[in-house]
Amino acid sequence: MTSPLVVFDLDGTLLDTHADLIISLNHTIAALKLPPVSYDDVTHLVGSGAQVMIERACKLHGYTLASEELPTLLQRFITHYSEAMPGVTQPYPGLVAALTMLKNNGYKLAVCTNKMESLARTLLERLGLTHYFEAITGGDTFAVRKPNAEHLIGTIERAGGDIARTVMIGDSVNDILVARNAGVPSIAVPFGYSDVGIETLGPNRIIYHYDELTPELVEGLLAA
């Protein structure tokens, strides 16, 4: 039987990245003379990649962003964020122990994020986490991104997994929807960046700490 595959979102699921994202976002929109956004805004801004984050921050301040302004702003964000990595970003409590336990039990692991693949890889590498994952895909890896099912399906293929033996873990609507769209069971974490209660999104399970992410939990979802 194919080894089970657990696919993780990145921001707000594997890693608490909000502080560094906000710092780089504020650096970016300062070029437009816009005031900074705050942590309270993060759930409305994070989850669909840097470009969408910049667009939402501008909209939040009532600034009409011209299409020709976006490439320069996006590069400003990428440069600032890349140079500062990993900043204060850290794995969520219990994550590393959970990853280690799953790997030791023969599980495959992967990352499926709407963050640019290069940024995701660099961040995970600098935190010493890359070796856990069979595949790392980003919002620019394929022609589509979450919640399109093909993003998750492509990640599963790259990880050498079987869609019938896969579980998706995430913190936002994009993660729960991509799992549903691909026909994969989902686990939600409530400590990420969703702007609505995670229970309202209809995941198959919610875990409140990575201590709860056990082989028994995953197998139970796959058998359901």
Side-chain angles (χ1 to χ4, degrees), residues 14-106:
L14 283 174
L15 306 177
D16 186 0
T17 55
H18 79 271
D20 294 306
L21 289 171
I22 289 296
I23 289 169
S24 291
L25 180 59
N26 284 332
H27 170 79
T28 301
I29 64 175
L32 301 174
K33 303 296 190 286
L34 296 178
V37 296
S38 69
Y39 173 72
D40 291 338
D41 300 313
V42 71
T43 56
H44 302 283
L45 300 177
V46 176
S48 297
Q51 178 175 319
V52 173
M53 208 162 49
I54 293 166
E55 291 171 341
R56 288 177 179 173
C58 289
K59 185 176 181 180
L60 187 69
H61 289 310
Y63 181 86
T64 302
L65 185 64
S67 59
E68 61 268 20
E69 293 178 291
L70 192 53
T72 300
L73 290 171
L74 184 58
Q75 189 55 54
R76 180 178 171 92
F77 177 92
I78 292 168
T79 299
H80 187 273
Y81 188 61
S82 299
E83 290 176 351
M85 282 182 182
V88 297
T89 290
Q90 290 291 328
Y92 281 103
L95 173 73
V96 173
L99 296 180
T100 301
M101 178 180 60
L102 290 172
K103 290 284 282 187
N104 288 344
N105 278 274

Side-chain angles (χ1 to χ4, degrees), residues 93-117:
L95 173 73
V96 173
L99 296 180
T100 301
M101 178 180 60
L102 290 172
K103 290 284 282 187
N104 288 344
N105 278 274
Y107 282 61
K108 293 181 177 182
L109 308 174
V111 174
C112 179
T113 174
N114 278 343
K115 200 185 205 80
M116 293 176 61
E117 182 181 336

Side-chain angles (χ1 to χ4, degrees), residues 21-221:
L21 289 171
I22 289 296
I23 289 169
S24 291
L25 180 59
N26 284 332
H27 170 79
T28 301
I29 64 175
L32 301 174
K33 303 296 190 286
L34 296 178
V37 296
S38 69
Y39 173 72
D40 291 338
D41 300 313
V42 71
T43 56
H44 302 283
L45 300 177
V46 176
S48 297
Q51 178 175 319
V52 173
M53 208 162 49
I54 293 166
E55 291 171 341
R56 288 177 179 173
C58 289
K59 185 176 181 180
L60 187 69
H61 289 310
Y63 181 86
T64 302
L65 185 64
S67 59
E68 61 268 20
E69 293 178 291
L70 192 53
T72 300
L73 290 171
L74 184 58
Q75 189 55 54
R76 180 178 171 92
F77 177 92
I78 292 168
T79 299
H80 187 273
Y81 188 61
S82 299
E83 290 176 351
M85 282 182 182
V88 297
T89 290
Q90 290 291 328
Y92 281 103
L95 173 73
V96 173
L99 296 180
T100 301
M101 178 180 60
L102 290 172
K103 290 284 282 187
N104 288 344
N105 278 274
Y107 282 61
K108 293 181 177 182
L109 308 174
V111 174
C112 179
T113 174
N114 278 343
K115 200 185 205 80
M116 293 176 61
E117 182 181 336
S118 61
L119 294 180
R121 287 185 175 277
T122 300
L123 183 54
L124 288 166
E125 181 178 331
R126 292 185 185 176
L127 288 169
L129 298 174
T130 308
H131 66 281
Y132 283 106
F133 303 106
E134 304 295 327
I136 299 168
T137 68
D140 57 345
T141 303
F142 306 108
V144 296
R145 56 169 56 192
K146 296 183 298 184
N148 189 300
E150 294 303 319
H151 188 176
L152 178 53
I153 292 168
T155 303
I156 294 168
E157 291 172 350
R158 289 196 176 198
D162 178 352
I163 195 167
R165 298 278 290 157
T166 298
V167 170
M168 176 76 199
I169 302 181
D171 70 305
S172 74
V173 63
N174 282 337
D175 305 313
I176 306 309
L177 281 180
V178 77
R180 190 174 301 147
N181 292 340
V184 166
S186 60
I187 298 173
V189 296
F191 41 72
Y193 309 141
S194 177
D195 57 355
V196 298
I198 198 73
E199 69 282 351
T200 68
L201 302 178
N204 294 94
R205 285 291 300 271
I206 299 174
I207 59 172
Y208 297 87
H209 191 282
Y210 274 112
D211 290 350
E212 300 175 59
L213 181 58
T214 62
E216 292 77 16
L217 171 63
V218 176
E219 289 293 348
L221 288 171

